[in-house]
Every structure is written in C-alpha cells, then in structure tokens.
Amino acid sequence: MFQTFQATTSPEQGPPRLKALREALEKEGLDAFIVPRADAHQGEYVADRDARLSWLTGFTGSAGFCVVLQDIAGVFVDGRYRVQVKEQVDTSYFTPVHWPETKPEDWLKEKLTSGKVAFDPWLFTKLQIDEITEGLKGTDITLVPTANFVDAIWEDQPAAPAGKVEAYPIELSGKRSPDKRQEIAEKLRDKGHTAAILTLPDSICWLLNIRGTDIPRIPIVQCFAVIHADARVDLFIEQTRVDHLGPDPAITVKPPDSFADAIAQLNGPVRVGAGSAPLAVTQILQQAEVEIAYAMDPCILRKACKNETEISGTKQAHIRDAQAMVRFLAWLDAQTPGTFTEIDVATSLEGFRAQTNALRDVSFETISGAGPNGAVVHYRVTDDTNRTVEDGDLMLVDSGGQYVDGTTDITRTIPIGQPTEEQKKCFTLVLQGMIAISQARFPRGVAGRDLDALARAPLWRHGLDYDHGTGHGVGTYLSVHEGPQRLSRMSEVPLKEGMILSNEPGYYREGAFGIRIENLIVVQQAAKLGDNRDQLSFETITWVPIDRRLIATDMLAPHERDWINAYHAEIANKISVEGAAKDWLEAATAPL
C-alpha cells in the first residue's frame, strides 16, 4: 500500500508548540510570525521536513498559513478546508480565518496597532510580500525577514529528502532535454535575459527529463537550477543523487548550499519569477547588484502545453486507470451497506490500481468520504475518523494514479442504497455544470476565469454553489496540480492546445453529504463551424461511468442527455473488463 491511514497530527500538539514559538519571538523582540504551507519551491505538496504549518497547528490542508501573535493565532484557509480546519486544530488556541476573503494585511491591522511581523523570505514570493507590504502602508506595522522560528523550535525536524534521480525517456517525454534547453535559451535571448533562475521542481524535471521521489505522490526532484542564455544549466543538487545518470557537458552539478553564492555572481538581467521564486532570491540578487528581469518561469507554459507523445501516454494511462476504476465500482456495488468502511474503499481502489502492474504511486491521498465526511472537500480518512458506510450515504471518492506515462485524477459520487430526491437533484445540477464545461467552445485567448461560471450556473439558479475552483492543471507523470492553467475565477492565463485540466464542479452540505464529479479534459483546436472562427474546445480523456442512479433525468435538457449517452457509449467501446465487472459496466453504460 502506498497510503497509510494514521493521523499525522492531533489538535493537542499545537498549544505547547505555539507557546514555544511565542517565547522565541518575544526573546527577539518580534510581535508576530507568519507560517506558510509552502516550502522554498512554493510547492502545494511538501516534504515532511517542510510541513511547518501542520506541525505547528495540526492543519494538514494543501493551502493556507498561520499568523502568530502573542494573543491570537489565525489559521487562514480557503473554502475547501473550512470544515476540516475546525476538526484538526485546537480552536481554543488557533482561530480559523476565512481566506482570501480576509487578507493577512487587513487581519494584522485589526489585531495590531504597531509591531514587527517576521517571515522567512525563503518561503514567500516577492509578489506575496509586496501585497502584504502594500496593505500595511500607513501603519506602524512592518514586515521583517528573519530566520525560520519554527525550525528553531522543531527539535526532531526530519532531514531533507535525498532520493536518487531517474531519467525520463524520450519515448515518454516526446522531446529531448537538449532541445528543450535550446528552446528556453532562445526565449531568454529574445528577451535580452542572460539567465533564468528556476526554483519550481516540476519545471526543472520537465526541462531536464528527470523524475524523483522527494515528495510522496509527486515524482519530482527538489532542487534549484539556473539556465543560461547559451543553454547551459547549473543544477544545485547533491552529486551522488545524479552520478548514475552520466555526464552531460551542458549541465554542471553544484552543491545545494552554493546556490546563493552562485546566483550572486550572475551577470544580469536575470529572469526571476516574482510569483514563484522565493523572495530570498530577489534579496540575494539585489544585494549583489545583479539586474533582475521579473517574468514568469520560462518553462511553465511549455510544460503545460503537452506534446503529442505526452497526450498519447496520458490517454493510455487513463484507459488503464478506467479499467481499475470500473472493477472497483463493480466491487463497491456488490458490498452490503454497514459491512465496510471508508478505509476499505480506499484500500480496495488502490488494490485494483496496483493490479494493473503499472502503478508507480497514487497521485494523492484518496479522498474517501461517506455521508457527512463527503462534505469535507479534501477529506483524508484516518484510523480515527474512519466511518462505516451505511445505507442512504453518498460515497464521494476522489483519487488518482501516477503511471510512468501519465497522471490521473477522477472523482465519482456513488449512492449507497436508494438516493433521496434531494440528493438526485443536487447531483444532477453538478452534472449539468460538468457537461457545460465538457461541451464548451470558446475563442482563442479565453482564460479559465471566463469559463468557470458555466459549471456553476445550474447550481446558482437554485441558490447553491461550491467553494473551490472548477478545475486545475495536471502534469504528465508530475504534479497532479499543475499551473498555470486553471478553471477558476482567479485564473487569467489563456487556455492553449495541449493543456490538461480537471473538470470537477461539486456541492457540499455540511453534516450531510458531498457531491463531486470529475473528469480530465485536454484543450484542443475546435472543429470549424459557422464562419470558421478560431476556437478551442475540450476533449474528455477520463472514461468511467457516471452513476445513473443519481441522475434526475427529467431535469436534463436533450443535449445533456445526449452527451451522457454518448459518453457512456464511448466508455463501453473503450474499456474492456471481464466477469462481474463486465456485467456491471454494461448496466452502468446503458442509455438513459
């Protein structure tokens, strides 16, 4: 098993750690300290060593931060985690704060009249600190870059990850690393940049065609790099981790602790991602008087727009994953309510994926939530929270696999027993939003923010909504959450061919049930229609039935019914299984 179900934190651990942190701040004459979820690479998923937010507070969500003052500690979380945070932190000591509705600078102005707010510049980007600084203008509150005070009090802090690096072959990447480097170098030269500092591990892994095991579930290598305008690369990583890959005359391996000195020796203008690189990088360059050119990491968009080989591999991974999902769903339908648990569901699903003999890891901890636990958007079942799945529950299962040729992410909501009319109504509204995205055609230049409302409109008409984005980018045997593409009101990045995104509207009723339906989609050139305008559309690449028992067919428009029937017919044509799973699939894909 890749997953375990032990609780990694508990609320009672937080108060003594909070006390120790406050004592350390008081000793240094500081009034507050900001503890982010992020590490120096600004990753959503962090190594155990960098899990400072969860170690201090008990909150294990993938986004958020804590602002610690002497008399209050605010834990800032978005809509995905507002149920979860109340269960994981001691609310006598930590106060949940709705973010981004409440910004940290505004909260600080409410809680402090003056003071020094400390932060670790390796864990924040320039844009993040600029925004807080701007919001504090006109006050006597100042931000102070310091060493990390959580590290100072964390006596048994784990060591940094140090797994070996593996090559990612051309048969899967679709392009040689030297060719990628030349493309990026040409882009730098066109902009007049002498070099670009790369701090995002998935960018470096894409550029160099490497993968690793530094973060569970995400096959990345934690390191920094500099790519020069002549296509040379300085890679800051322990030599022993890459010795077996053989030499590359264009890549110079340097010790990780030499990174700061090395970038201080660069000749500018040096490209730095103001929204991705640690602020510390800017500080080092400014102190060395190296000219900085702020611009997006040059690998991000190229990585996001998958080539034909990557898309083909991802599709094959989805066929394989769908076969495992169909076997799992057939197994789930055969279980007797009250005789199995959320953990049984998660372990069974991982077992079916493992039977493919191709699973490298799950792509994230399976969200296996029954009844009220399904309303916790990013619920992680543990031995302490494990719930028996009962008749009348909705079972929300959000899961994925890491295969060497692709990364999958799929959510299905399954009724245990006979669903209620209210459950069917809410499910159908979510389904209508998912279909709207699936069928969307849009002009080139449209961004995720322009499409997000399509998924919400059916819910909005009934006074309902969900507090998360509609979709995120997905990598190719890399991060299951990949930027910069998103289906979200906050996303201004135009969608382009080859981008893979999730399509996952939902609805959550706290204390009762959760609903989410998720497929992965690929941006493609749309077939010409009308006056032949240049338009894009989505190709669905997830091939798993949507539960017909939850669909209120009388709510569907003809085009929606047609889409579901066509989708299920395609699944029946693509997915081959045997025995009881074959019988289950035939019934599950029957026309409405």
Side-chain angles (χ1 to χ4, degrees):
M1 291 295 297
F2 290 109
Q3 302 171 86
T4 64
F5 301 98
Q6 297 175 335
T8 56
T9 65
S10 60
E12 66 270 13
Q13 294 173 327
R17 294 170 179 176
L18 180 62
K19 181 175 183 291
L21 177 57
R22 283 172 167 158
E23 289 173 351
L25 294 175
E26 186 175 25
K27 184 177 179 181
E28 296 297 322
L30 298 167
D31 300 282
F33 186 64
I34 309 177
V35 183
R37 159 72 174 178
D39 58 15
H41 306 280
Q42 290 300 305
E44 178 179 355
Y45 301 96
V46 298
D48 290 345
R49 176 183 181 79
D50 297 311
R52 298 173 182 89
L53 182 63
S54 64
W55 179 85
L56 176 68
T57 67
F59 171 64
T60 62
S62 62
F65 54 94
C66 182
V67 183
V68 176
L69 281 63
Q70 287 299 335
D71 58 349
I72 189 171
V75 182
F76 290 69
V77 295
D78 63 32
R80 295 170 293 175
Y81 297 115
R82 286 169 190 166
V83 177
Q84 178 177 329
V85 71
K86 291 184 288 187
E87 297 172 351
Q88 289 190 317
V89 308
D90 186 335
T91 54
S92 300
Y93 290 83
F94 295 96
T95 302
V97 181
H98 287 191
W99 167 73
E101 294 89 339
T102 300
K103 298 182 180 299
E105 54 269 29
D106 295 330
W107 189 83
L108 282 167
K109 287 189 289 189
E110 287 182 8
K111 307 301 178 184
L112 286 176
T113 55
S114 63
K116 298 178 180 178
V117 178
F119 70 97
D120 181 346
W122 283 101
L123 304 185
F124 291 87
T125 68
K126 179 181 184 296
L127 288 185
Q128 288 170 331
I129 295 303
D130 283 352
E131 183 176 351
I132 299 174
T133 301
E134 181 66 25
L136 293 175
K137 277 186 176 178
T139 74
D140 291 324
I141 304 170
T142 57
L143 294 181
V144 181
T146 65
N148 197 293
F149 285 92
V150 171
D151 292 356
I153 64 172
W154 191 351
E155 294 180 355
D156 58 347
Q157 187 175 22
K164 283 201 171 182
V165 177
E166 63 175 308
Y168 196 61
I170 183 67
E171 293 79 14
L172 297 171
S173 67
K175 183 172 288 189
R176 297 169 59 248
S177 174
D179 295 334
K180 293 180 180 180
R181 287 178 247 154
Q182 287 293 343
E183 286 183 7
I184 298 301
E186 182 179 355
K187 188 173 183 178
L188 295 178
R189 293 193 297 270
D190 288 345
K191 297 292 186 179
H193 302 159
T194 62
I197 295 175
L198 305 179
T199 60
L200 300 174
D202 57 343
S203 286
I204 299 169
C205 287
W206 172 85
L207 179 68
L208 301 183
N209 283 345
I210 57 175
R211 299 295 188 269
T213 59
D214 287 352
I215 303 291
R217 320 293 175 242
I218 308 296
I220 59 170
V221 181
Q222 284 201 316
C223 54
F224 294 127
V226 175
I227 180 167
H228 299 270
D230 60 3
R232 290 180 299 110
V233 172
D234 298 325
L235 179 63
F236 297 87
I237 194 170
E238 294 85 353
Q239 181 70 51
T240 55
R241 300 182 65 189
V242 295
D243 273 340
H244 58 289
L245 297 179
D248 184 325
I251 300 176
T252 302
V253 177
K254 298 184 176 183
D257 59 8
S258 69
F259 175 66
D261 289 339
I263 64 174
Q265 302 303 314
L266 295 172
N267 294 314
V270 174
R271 183 170 179 146
V272 175
S276 59
L279 176 63
V281 168
T282 288
Q283 294 175 327
I284 292 165
L285 296 176
Q286 287 177 336
Q287 186 172 357
E289 298 183 346
V290 177
E291 183 181 353
I292 301 172
Y294 291 113
M296 182 185 289
D297 175 326
C299 300
I300 287 180
L301 276 175
R302 278 176 164 75
K303 172 172 58 67
C305 298
K306 310 297 184 290
N307 60 46
E308 291 183 5
T309 300
E310 292 171 312
I311 292 174
S312 175
T314 297
K315 288 180 177 180
Q316 290 301 311
H318 276 80
I319 294 291
R320 186 184 311 121
D321 199 67
Q323 291 170 337
M325 280 292 302
V326 166
R327 294 186 182 104
F328 159 73
L329 290 171
W331 168 87
L332 181 59
D333 264 6
Q335 304 309 300
T336 302
T339 66
F340 64 103
T341 69
E342 294 168 332
I343 287 180
D344 293 331
V345 171
T347 56
S348 175
L349 176 50
E350 185 176 323
F352 283 111
R353 283 195 166 105
Q355 288 174 16
T356 65
N357 295 317
L359 185 69
R360 300 292 294 265
D361 201 339
V362 293
S363 54
F364 54 96
E365 301 287 331
T366 296
I367 298 169
S368 175
N373 287 342
V376 182
V377 178
H378 278 193
Y379 172 70
R380 175 182 176 268
V381 57
T382 69
D383 294 320
D384 297 335
T385 67
N386 190 26
R387 186 177 186 275
T388 299
V389 183
E390 302 285 359
D391 189 24
D393 282 345
L394 290 186
M395 184 77 221
L396 190 155
V397 184
D398 187 347
S399 66
Q402 289 284 12
Y403 304 95
V404 71
D405 49 357
T407 300
T408 71
D409 185 2
I410 174 174
T411 308
R412 290 295 182 264
T413 304
I414 307 100
I416 307 301
Q418 182 64 34
T420 67
E421 291 304 310
E422 180 68 7
Q423 290 171 339
K424 292 172 67 174
K425 169 192 165 184
C426 294
F427 181 90
T428 305
L429 294 173
V430 172
L431 174 59
Q432 289 174 312
M434 196 269 272
I435 293 172
I437 293 293
S438 303
Q439 295 187 313
R441 291 176 62 98
F442 48 94
R444 187 177 300 278
V446 160
R449 69 177 181 185
D450 304 313
L451 300 178
D452 180 80
L454 295 178
R456 299 178 191 272
L459 288 161
W460 284 349
R461 284 194 290 268
H462 291 260
L464 308 177
D465 204 352
Y466 51 94
D467 294 323
H468 57 75
T470 298
H472 55 80
V474 179
T476 303
Y477 192 49
L478 275 173
S479 179
V480 72
H481 287 175
E482 175 185 86
Q485 70 274 26
R486 286 189 295 170
L487 295 174
S488 165
R489 280 173 281 190
M490 296 186 291
S491 179
E492 299 180 355
V493 176
L495 299 177
K496 297 184 177 182
E497 291 100 325
M499 289 180 170
I500 300 175
L501 301 107
S502 67
N503 172 14
E504 52 178 312
Y507 175 67
Y508 312 91
R509 186 165 293 175
E510 186 173 351
F513 59 82
I515 295 167
R516 187 160 64 249
I517 312 170
E518 177 186 19
N519 284 345
L520 295 195
I521 51 180
V522 182
V523 182
Q524 62 180 1
Q525 177 74 50
K528 296 296 184 182
L529 291 175
D531 57 3
N532 291 328
R533 288 179 180 271
D534 184 15
Q535 291 186 316
L536 302 174
S537 62
F538 295 120
E539 177 187 7
T540 295
I541 60 173
T542 300
W543 301 107
V544 177
I546 296 165
D547 205 298
R548 297 164 74 255
R549 295 166 295 185
L550 280 166
I551 301 174
T553 54
D554 60 335
M555 293 174 59
L556 298 176
H559 74 89
E560 293 168 335
R561 185 191 296 253
D562 291 345
W563 183 90
I564 295 167
N565 285 337
Y567 177 62
H568 281 166
E570 190 84 15
I571 292 170
N573 182 57
K574 287 180 178 290
I575 304 305
S576 176
V577 289
E578 301 298 330
K582 182 178 181 180
D583 295 336
W584 180 92
L585 180 62
E586 183 176 345
T589 56
L592 293 176

